[in-house]
Amino acid sequence: MDILFSNWQHTLQAFDVDQVTSEKAFGNLIAAYSTPVRYYHTLKHIEHVLSTIEILQGYTNNLPAVQLAAWFHDVVYDTQAQDNEERSADYAFKVLSSLDIPESTITIVTRLIRNTKYHQAAMDDYDSQVLIDADLAIFATTSVQYPEYSHAIRQEYDWISKADYIAGRRQVLEEFLKRPRIYFTPLMLEFAEASARANIQREIQSLD
């Protein structure tokens, strides 16, 4: 938690924000990501996304905006809803406005969050590419971490029958495999693409 708070403060150093308001916003984020219905989309996920962005920061045009988008991109997460990204963007708009973050930065942050809905980015939208690659970095994790991830996703959808979950999950995973490339940044493409595709293929084969 101390590391996350330090990360939050470091991101906001680029702006002149009120300390009390900043701490309140951080507390609300922690609460949102700590609800009992979350198994994967938790603070651990946010920490992983932020650490990956740090590795990929050389590709960004606006690093603070990408980092803020990472903090807020899953703040609203309801597996029975279809508008989580839009609601997360709206939440970010309200909080960042209360922190007096420049409107130009808020506009970028909310756009980045909405782009995580389908994990698609224009070829010249480097900030979205970094955020999306960081969000999907879990695909390229180890043979121990990946099954933990896939199990956690299943837990978040425990209200869906096994048959329906398998059909839906297979469709999502196969769509990623159909892409010419899962990752946008050269670093992830070189060092993570092959592992991600192998992990996804293994999960598809394990679905029964």
Side-chain angles (χ1 to χ4, degrees):
M1 194 66 68
D2 289 341
I3 294 174
L4 281 171
F5 184 57
S6 176
N7 197 312
W8 172 250
Q9 288 183 308
H10 180 74
T11 300
L12 292 178
Q13 278 181 358
F15 313 99
D16 184 21
V17 302
D18 176 73
Q19 185 66 24
V20 174
T21 309
S22 168
E23 290 180 6
K24 180 180 179 182
F26 178 78
N28 289 337
L29 282 169
I30 296 304
Y33 284 106
S34 302
T35 56
V37 295
R38 292 175 182 252
Y39 294 90
Y40 172 68
H41 293 88
T42 62
L43 290 169
K44 182 179 179 181
H45 171 57
I46 299 305
E47 190 170 6
H48 187 222
V49 170
L50 288 169
S51 65
T52 306
I53 289 171
E54 187 173 350
I55 295 170
L56 301 175
Q57 62 180 298
Y59 298 112
T60 64
N61 288 325
N62 191 327
L63 179 59
V66 177
Q67 291 170 323
L68 286 171
W71 274 102
F72 288 94
H73 80 286
D74 283 327
V75 68
V76 177
Y77 189 73
D78 177 359
T79 56
Q80 300 191 49
Q82 301 295 321
D83 60 350
N84 288 316
E85 291 78 11
E86 292 83 357
R87 289 163 63 196
S88 293
D90 290 344
Y91 182 100
F93 177 86
K94 293 175 184 176
V95 173
L96 296 178
S97 296
S98 75
L99 291 171
D100 292 325
I101 301 298
E103 184 178 343
S104 58
T105 300
I106 297 176
T107 298
I108 295 171
V109 170
T110 55
R111 175 178 60 79
L112 295 176
I113 293 171
R114 291 188 178 96
N115 282 349
T116 64
K117 187 178 185 75
Y118 300 109
H119 293 101
Q120 298 281 9
M123 292 311 297
D124 61 348
D125 185 359
Y126 302 113
D127 290 334
S128 284
Q129 290 178 16
V130 168
L131 178 61
I132 290 168
D133 277 10
D135 196 26
L136 298 180
I138 189 66
F139 281 155
T141 49
T142 69
S143 58
V144 173
Q145 292 170 310
Y146 190 91
E148 292 175 349
Y149 148 71
S150 59
H151 178 65
I153 293 294
R154 177 63 181 113
Q155 287 178 290
E156 290 182 339
Y157 285 87
D158 65 352
W159 54 274
I160 295 179
S161 71
K162 182 178 180 180
D164 287 343
Y165 178 79
I166 288 173
R169 181 66 176 168
R170 179 179 284 115
Q171 181 178 4
V172 168
L173 295 174
E174 288 177 344
E175 285 299 318
F176 278 110
L177 290 182
K178 288 177 184 177
R179 295 186 179 192
R181 52 197 285 178
I182 294 172
Y183 297 114
F184 294 96
T185 59
L187 191 68
M188 292 294 284
L189 187 62
E190 180 177 357
F191 294 103
E193 183 82 15
S195 296
R197 289 185 176 275
N199 280 332
I200 291 171
Q201 191 62 57
R202 275 192 293 269
E203 183 182 354
I204 291 173
Q205 292 171 353
S206 73
L207 293 171
D208 53 27

